[in-house]
Amino acid sequence: MSEFYTLKIAGIERQLEKFPVSDKLDIAAFIIFGDVELTVKASEELLKKLPEFDVILTPEAKSIPIAYEMSRQSGKPYIIARKGVKVYMRNPLSVSVNSITTQNEQHLYLGETEVNMIKGKKVLIVDDVISTGESLTAVRSLVKAAGAIEAAACAFLAEGDAADRDDIIFLEKLPLFFK
């Protein structure tokens, strides 16, 4: 039988199913794909809290709808740090990342075109959930390596201890569930 956590964000309520990460820890799965109402309203609320920025950068894949919607509402372009090198990516920058929701080490890449788009610009890093901060650290490394300036790092949710951080902007806390 599934257990759920009730999330209230941007005036909207959602039931998030809990899943085990280990024998001692469960997380409430926040999956934004397909939830247009939440994506639109939470993006609007998050944009109100942010400093000025030139470009949005998000890691692939769950936060892509958020980056798109924030781009649509702000009029600023967005780019995606990809999990694999594509044939159209010249001279890719690469960083490694270990995430709480992914079992193996991954890499994030920016192609030369994307690097040129952000070089010298104020970059807003966008994610769906910041938890351990590993993905954020990787994206920050890409921003620095590309010669860009971090305007801010933001997410809809800060999970666990991430809610105590002062280097991220978020809408709501998401608890961890220890067994």
Side-chain angles (χ1 to χ4, degrees), residues 9 42 71 83 121 145:
I9 181 171
S71 174
K83 289 182 179 174
K121 300 278 174 60

Side-chain angles (χ1 to χ4, degrees), residues 65-169:
I66 299 168
Y68 167 82
E69 183 58 25
M70 290 177 76
S71 174
R72 189 188 70 77
Q73 290 184 25
S74 69
K76 304 293 172 89
Y78 77 98
I79 60 175
I80 300 164
R82 304 297 301 261
K83 289 182 179 174
V85 176
K86 306 299 179 190
V87 295
Y88 52 80
M89 296 172 76
R90 287 189 188 89
N91 305 314
L93 283 179
S94 170
V95 296
S96 62
V97 60
N98 290 297
S99 169
I100 190 172
T101 55
T102 307
Q103 292 182 346
N104 301 315
E105 180 181 85
Q106 295 183 322
H107 289 85
L108 292 176
Y109 302 91
L110 284 179
E112 186 174 54
T113 300
E114 291 78 18
V115 168
N116 290 336
M117 252 182 95
I118 67 172
K119 188 173 188 172
K121 300 278 174 60
K122 292 183 283 185
V123 175
L124 176 66
I125 299 169
V126 173
D127 212 340
D128 59 336
V129 179
I130 296 175
S131 186
T132 63
E134 293 293 330
S135 296
L136 176 57
T137 297
V139 177
R140 282 179 162 156
S141 295
L142 281 175
V143 168
K144 185 176 181 181
I149 303 143
E150 180 183 327
C154 67
F156 282 178
L157 303 172
E159 186 173 49
D161 292 342
D164 298 327
R165 295 175 65 150
D166 61 4
D167 66 330
I168 60 173
I169 299 168

